[in-house]
Amino acid sequence: MKRIYLFCSAGMSTSLVASRMQDVADKHNLPLEIKAFPDRNIDTIYEQYHPDVILLGPQVKFKFNAVHEKYDPMGVPVDVINLEDYGNADGERILKRAIQLLKSKKEK
């Protein structure tokens, strides 16, 4: 099972996005665990669960460089969720992007 974890300032709005992404993954029988957390817990969550992809909510995109520099060398792709997709809670489009990141990870 691959883990796709979303992080935002409080984890609230991102929980809706994660839930929609999980619904799409379940509908297609994809072995994925998709959850949302507050961004202040990234290090703890990484140590505990070792996510395969980290997605940041648009409201914390200013943290991208620091998070990317820390986790990308460990083989964990990091990206910021597209603002429009996030605003629409478009679980399918966001999930497709996360799967692209998983595939690019395998190619490295």
Side-chain angles (χ1 to χ4, degrees):
M1 168 142 341
K2 298 290 183 187
R3 293 182 172 103
I4 299 170
Y5 288 175
L6 288 63
F7 295 90
C8 72
S9 46
M12 297 298 195
S13 54
T14 308
S15 293
L16 172 64
V17 173
S19 175
R20 294 216 174 146
M21 291 172 68
Q22 188 68 64
D23 289 345
V24 173
D26 293 346
K27 182 175 134 184
H28 294 286
N29 296 314
L30 300 173
L32 299 172
E33 176 183 84
I34 304 165
K35 293 186 177 181
F37 304 93
D39 67 303
R40 68 181 175 275
N41 297 341
I42 291 177
D43 293 337
T44 305
I45 296 299
Y46 178 81
E47 290 169 20
Q48 216 171 1
Y49 300 105
H50 303 287
D52 297 286
V53 173
I54 293 174
L55 296 177
L56 301 176
Q59 65 274 49
V60 294
K61 81 182 216 177
F62 65 93
K63 293 188 174 192
F64 173 79
N65 286 340
V67 175
H68 183 266
E69 287 173 16
K70 183 168 188 173
Y71 293 106
D72 189 68
M74 295 181 197
V76 180
V78 177
D79 201 6
V80 177
I81 299 169
N82 174 282
L83 181 60
E84 186 177 334
D85 294 342
Y86 186 86
N88 293 328
D90 190 333
E92 187 167 349
R93 283 180 57 101
I94 299 167
L95 181 60
K96 284 180 181 178
R97 176 64 185 140
I99 290 170
Q100 287 175 338
L101 291 168
L102 277 172
K103 288 180 179 178
S104 70
K105 174 182 167 179
K106 289 179 185 176
E107 293 169 4
K108 287 184 179 179

